[in-house]
């Protein structure tokens, strides 16, 4: 008996883990696991609507659509649907362009299709030859792929398809992920928190990791249509032929998914290695002594290099350039301007349809202004209208650097004759890395809906970057990627929701954060109504909570230097002040905050009226930006009636309490969520709670030295 028991235990020990691995959800499938729907009514509706799939035409993209739609419908419906190019009896999903599909041609959708451009699509329920059909139609195959993913999304979220009649096209033309991946395969010191780079440079071009395809598929499912695959701190080697061959292989995988490859270029690439400066950010793969953009040899070097790139990658998208920033080389070293530099590259790319994304993230030059927040505006606005038509100025959302909260960068609205491309950060560099649950869609919505008043009321950031305010001829948005080779792509399962949200907003910035959360939860985690609501409630407040436990009331950049994770409100041993926390928070016996009003750095003057006046007056400045724009006395009365000090304490406690509440809510969902995911998130939340308390105690402990007022034990 004892022997038998021992054997049973042995078998259980061996088998149990195997079973749990087999059934475990490791997060690899992202929002595309296509679990069978459990709502019987909607399942029946879909089963009746789709007894077959009909796709006419041949192309690589159509092949992908066949694969995706089969996988999606079979999974969601628990079926094995036939895919063919002939419509038979029953009911069908019919996908095609009028050019390739006579079934679609017959429907005469030309008026609608004329409004949809190259990437748009329509989904419509109709009848073809008396057969009830749901149709996905578009002008190009890529539109069909986007339409297919959209239909699957509607089904994952359980929406009725009866009488469906929708048209969709992207509001923004260039929708890019910016990877800050290095050529040695690391991302960790470039703000990557999910393992190593997805790109296996040592295996390419011979070996193509199947994950490249999954990456492209995930992006295409959201409508992302470009990727900058290397860090803006660009290693010039990326432009050597040996790397271009590798990049070309990635481009081949991404192309049928509608994704173009772009590269970050190092401005001093043309310089010979023997003339390159010592810093590892300096260029040096060419044979020249200079990278002066007005030097004919330099211009020729770039023209030849671009020609070579297009031989490898015929649909190459263009260059992203970080110049005059954090030690990166620039045209200013030769007394040339940003426009000289960007236009030289633009001229080389123009014949092939390529573009330049020239970043406005500049703060190296101390002569420009003492206030870092003012520098981009001062350096770029004078050049409005001086850039070639294929140049974007790519600007971070805020004037400093992806802080938990900033006002919108004053550059937006101030360059009516230069297309501005918005740069957001999906990676949570300043928001708890991949350790904290922080859903970023509410933050991005706050920025997108921020009214700059550039052309009067309604000149929102969204309307600037989608071209409506200034009639830009090119429009673009980029998100600094949070992906890596971790099995679940993003480190934290909930960080996937930020990749998802970025993609969805880049296609349609009018979507609400709630809708995006709702879609992501249902596609990724569960469709149980209570669980969905609980998770949504966790996500929706998580950004504000993070602000509260890190940088409430407009505080900013008080993170650990370099690492940008934990709090470091104090100076380090070196005593250096510039770009340290004390530069930004300016705590003293009188109060707290950076005076950027007209009595201080006057950064408020860079905004349009009436924002300028609203921000300038401490009594009208929105409290969320209070310490961003003002140095405020500790006893200043805030909106709640509490003094600044008491409000600060209140906010720090509220932030931590929110994390505790998320832990409680998550614990109650155990039965609705895959056990592995449940545990993974539970552990992350425990870390977040610990970290949030450290933030609160460190910051309040430090600021108390100046305020001289007591810190309460709780709210
Ligand atoms: C890629 C911040 C980050 C840097 C980043 C830089 C940039 O300073 O901390 O890691 O460099 O922004 O956006 O260029």
């Amino acid at each position: 008996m004892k022997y038998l028991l021992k054997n049973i235990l042995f078998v259980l020990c061996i088998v149990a883990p195997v079973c749990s691995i087999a059934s475990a959800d490791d997060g690899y499938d992202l929002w595309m696991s296509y679990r069978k729907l459990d709502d019987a009514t909607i399942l029946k509706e879909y089963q009746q609507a789709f007894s077959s799939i009909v796709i006419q035409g041949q192309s690589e993209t159509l092949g992908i659509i066949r694969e995706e739609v089969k996988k999606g419908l079979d999974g969601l419906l628990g079926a094995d649907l036939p895919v063919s190019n002939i419509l038979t009896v029953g009911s069908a999903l019919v996908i095609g362009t009028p050019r390739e599909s006579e079934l679609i041609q017959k429907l005469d959708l030309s008026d609608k299709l004329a409004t949809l451009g190259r990437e748009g699509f329509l989904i419509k329920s109709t009848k073809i030859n008396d057969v009830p059909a749901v149709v996905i139609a578009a002008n190009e195959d890529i539109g069909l792929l986007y339409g297919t993913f959209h239909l699957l999304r509607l089904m994952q979220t359980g929406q009725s398809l009866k009488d469906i009649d929708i048209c969709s096209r992207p509001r923004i033309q260039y929708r890019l992920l910016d990877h800050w991946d290095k050529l040695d395969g690391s991302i960790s010191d470039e703000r990557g928190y999910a393992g190593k780079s997805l790109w296996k440079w040592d295996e390419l071009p011979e070996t193509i990791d199947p994950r490249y395809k999954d990456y492209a598929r995930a992006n295409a499912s959201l409508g992302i249509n470009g990727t900058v695959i290397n860090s803006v701190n660009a290693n010039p080697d990326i432009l050597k032929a040996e790397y271009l061959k590798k990049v070309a292989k990635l481009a081949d995988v991404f192309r049928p998914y509608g994704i173009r490859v772009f590269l970050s270029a190092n401005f001093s690439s043309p310089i010979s290695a023997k003339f390159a400066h010592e810093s590892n950010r300096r260029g040096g793969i060419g044979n020249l002594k200079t990278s002066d953009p007005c030097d004919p040899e330099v211009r020729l070097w770039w023209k030849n290099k671009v020609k070579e790139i297009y031989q490898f990658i015929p649909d190459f998208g263009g260059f992203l350039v970080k110049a005059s920033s954090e030690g990166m080389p620039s045209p200013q070293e030769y007394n040339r301007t940003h426009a000289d530099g960007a236009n030289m590259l633009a001229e080389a790319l123009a014949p092939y349809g390529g573009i330049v994304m020239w970043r406005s993230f500049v703060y190296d030059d101390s002569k420009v202004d003492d206030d870092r927040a003012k520098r981009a505006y001062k350096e770029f606005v004078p050049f409005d209208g001086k850039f070639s038509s294929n140049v974007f100025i790519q600007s971070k959302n805020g004037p400093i650097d992806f802080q938990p909260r900033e006002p919108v960068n004053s550059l937006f609205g101030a360059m009516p004759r230069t297309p501005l491309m918005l740069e957001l950060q999906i990676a949570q560099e300043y928001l708890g890395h991949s350790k904290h649950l922080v859903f970023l869609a509410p933050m991005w919505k706050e920025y997108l809906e921020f009214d700059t008043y550039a052309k009067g009321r309604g000149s929102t950031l969204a309307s600037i970057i989608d071209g409506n305010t200034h009639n830009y001829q090119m429009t673009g948005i980029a998100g600094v990627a949070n992906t890596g080779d971790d099995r679940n792509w993003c480190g934290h399962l909930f960080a996937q929701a930020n990749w998802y949200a970025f993609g969805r907003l880049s296609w349609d910035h009018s979507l609400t954060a709630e809708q995006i959360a709702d879609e992501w939860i249902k596609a990724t985690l569960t469709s149980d109504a209570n669980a969905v609501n609980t998770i949504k409630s966790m996500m929706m407040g998580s950004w504000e909570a993070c602000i509260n436990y890190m940088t409430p009331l407009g505080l900013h950049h008080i993170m650990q230097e370099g690492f940008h994770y934990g709090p470091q409100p104090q100076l380090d041993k070196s005593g250096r002040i510039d770009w340290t926390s004390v530069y930004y928070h300016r705590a003293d016996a009188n109060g707290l905050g950076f005076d950027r009003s007209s009595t201080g750095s006057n950064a408020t003057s860079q905004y349009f009226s009436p924002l300028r006046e609203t921000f300038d007056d401490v009594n009208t400045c929105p409290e969320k930006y209070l310490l961003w724009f003002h140095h405020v006395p500790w006893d200043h009365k805030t909106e709640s009636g509490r003094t600044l000090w008491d409000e600060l304490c209140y906010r720090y406690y509220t932030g931590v309490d929110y994390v505790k509440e998320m832990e409680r809510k998550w614990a109650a969902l155990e039965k609705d969520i895959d056990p592995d995911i449940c545990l993974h998130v539970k552990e992350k939340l425990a870390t977040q709670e610990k970290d949030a308390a450290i933030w609160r105690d460190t910051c309040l402990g430090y600021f108390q030295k100046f305020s001289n007022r007591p810190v309460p034990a709780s709210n």
Side-chain angles (χ1 to χ4, degrees), residues 397-507:
N397 45 266
I400 298 282
D401 189 10
F402 297 138
Q403 293 304 292
R405 174 180 267 140
E406 302 187 35
V408 158
N409 195 326
S410 52
L411 209 55
F412 288 104
M415 296 189 72
R417 290 177 297 155
T418 310
L420 294 176
M421 180 168 185
L422 174 63
E423 180 177 329
L424 301 170
Q425 193 179 43
I426 312 172
Q428 293 166 233
E429 175 179 352
Y430 294 96
L431 293 106
H433 296 187
S434 59
K435 298 203 168 108
H436 294 195
L437 190 169
V438 185
F439 180 48
L440 299 178
M443 159 157 102
W444 295 331
K445 286 295 287 183
E446 179 173 294
Y447 288 118
L448 289 164
E449 286 168 2
F450 181 104
D451 198 342
T452 67
Y453 288 89
K455 275 178 85 182
R457 187 187 289 276
S459 311
T460 59
L461 174 63
S463 78
I464 289 168
I465 60 155
D466 73 10
N468 275 315
T469 299
H470 299 302
N471 198 19
Y472 289 157
Q473 296 307 298
M474 296 200 302
T475 56
I477 185 166
V480 177
N482 65 350
T483 51
D485 73 351
D486 276 7
R487 181 73 192 157
N488 74 3
W489 300 86
C490 302
H492 196 311
L493 194 275
F494 275 79
Q496 295 181 356
N498 292 329
W499 181 7
Y500 183 88
F502 170 77
R504 295 287 287 134
L505 286 172
S506 67
W507 181 277

Side-chain angles (χ1 to χ4, degrees), residues 267-281:
F267 195 74
S268 55
S269 301
I271 299 184
S272 156
K274 67 177 185 237
F275 300 115
H277 312 251
E278 311 79 62
S279 150
N280 59 9
R281 292 193 171 180

Side-chain angles (χ1 to χ4, degrees), residues 242-482:
E242 76 183 87
Y243 272 99
L244 293 177
K245 283 182 198 148
K246 298 169 193 267
V247 176
K249 288 290 178 192
L250 292 176
D252 290 345
V253 177
F254 301 161
R255 189 169 298 113
Y257 290 89
I259 296 167
R260 286 170 88 183
V261 166
F262 297 72
L263 293 174
S264 293
N266 185 305
F267 195 74
S268 55
S269 301
I271 299 184
S272 156
K274 67 177 185 237
F275 300 115
H277 312 251
E278 311 79 62
S279 150
N280 59 9
R281 292 193 171 180
R282 299 282 145 170
I285 59 161
N287 53 0
L288 305 179
K289 284 187 180 164
T290 173
S291 60
D292 179 349
C294 295
D295 182 308
E297 283 193 292
V298 173
R299 300 179 80 82
L300 184 65
W301 190 91
W302 281 109
K303 279 193 176 150
N304 288 335
K305 183 47 79 182
V306 165
K307 186 171 170 200
E308 184 189 357
I309 296 175
Y310 279 92
Q311 277 158 4
F312 285 109
I313 311 158
D315 58 347
F316 177 62
F319 293 133
L320 172 63
V321 185
K322 170 174 175 177
S324 304
S325 175
E326 302 186 334
M328 292 301 287
S330 77
Q332 286 157 319
E333 287 159 32
Y334 308 96
N335 286 323
R336 310 295 183 194
T337 66
H338 289 295
D340 293 329
N343 292 347
M344 169 192 62
L345 298 176
E347 186 182 290
L349 289 158
Y352 309 92
I355 60 160
V356 175
M357 297 165 287
W358 192 268
R359 293 175 93 224
S360 75
F361 181 69
V362 290
Y363 65 102
D364 281 359
D365 188 350
S366 57
K367 292 190 296 298
V368 178
D369 200 283
D370 286 343
D371 181 359
R372 172 177 169 180
K374 290 168 68 186
R375 292 193 184 173
Y377 182 102
K378 286 183 121 177
E379 283 202 34
F380 281 89
V381 172
F383 292 102
D384 186 29
K386 302 271 187 317
F387 292 94
S388 303
S389 59
N390 57 335
V391 176
F392 275 116
I393 299 304
Q394 180 172 304
S395 265
K396 294 187 181 183
N397 45 266
I400 298 282
D401 189 10
F402 297 138
Q403 293 304 292
R405 174 180 267 140
E406 302 187 35
V408 158
N409 195 326
S410 52
L411 209 55
F412 288 104
M415 296 189 72
R417 290 177 297 155
T418 310
L420 294 176
M421 180 168 185
L422 174 63
E423 180 177 329
L424 301 170
Q425 193 179 43
I426 312 172
Q428 293 166 233
E429 175 179 352
Y430 294 96
L431 293 106
H433 296 187
S434 59
K435 298 203 168 108
H436 294 195
L437 190 169
V438 185
F439 180 48
L440 299 178
M443 159 157 102
W444 295 331
K445 286 295 287 183
E446 179 173 294
Y447 288 118
L448 289 164
E449 286 168 2
F450 181 104
D451 198 342
T452 67
Y453 288 89
K455 275 178 85 182
R457 187 187 289 276
S459 311
T460 59
L461 174 63
S463 78
I464 289 168
I465 60 155
D466 73 10
N468 275 315
T469 299
H470 299 302
N471 198 19
Y472 289 157
Q473 296 307 298
M474 296 200 302
T475 56
I477 185 166
V480 177
N482 65 350

Side-chain angles (χ1 to χ4, degrees), residues 51-58 62-63 65-67 69-70 73-74 80-89 91-96 100-104 128 131 134:
S51 58
S52 69
I53 301 162
V54 182
I55 304 176
Q56 296 177 322
Q58 290 304 329
L62 283 169
I65 294 171
R66 284 192 178 88
E67 217 176 90
V69 81
K70 166 94 181 125
L73 289 191
D74 283 0
D80 180 12
L81 294 183
V83 186
S84 77
N85 55 4
I86 301 164
L87 182 66
T88 51
V89 286
S91 57
L93 171 61
V94 180
I95 304 177
E100 295 279 340
S101 163
E102 38 93 16
L103 294 171
I104 297 293
I128 309 179
V131 177
V134 171

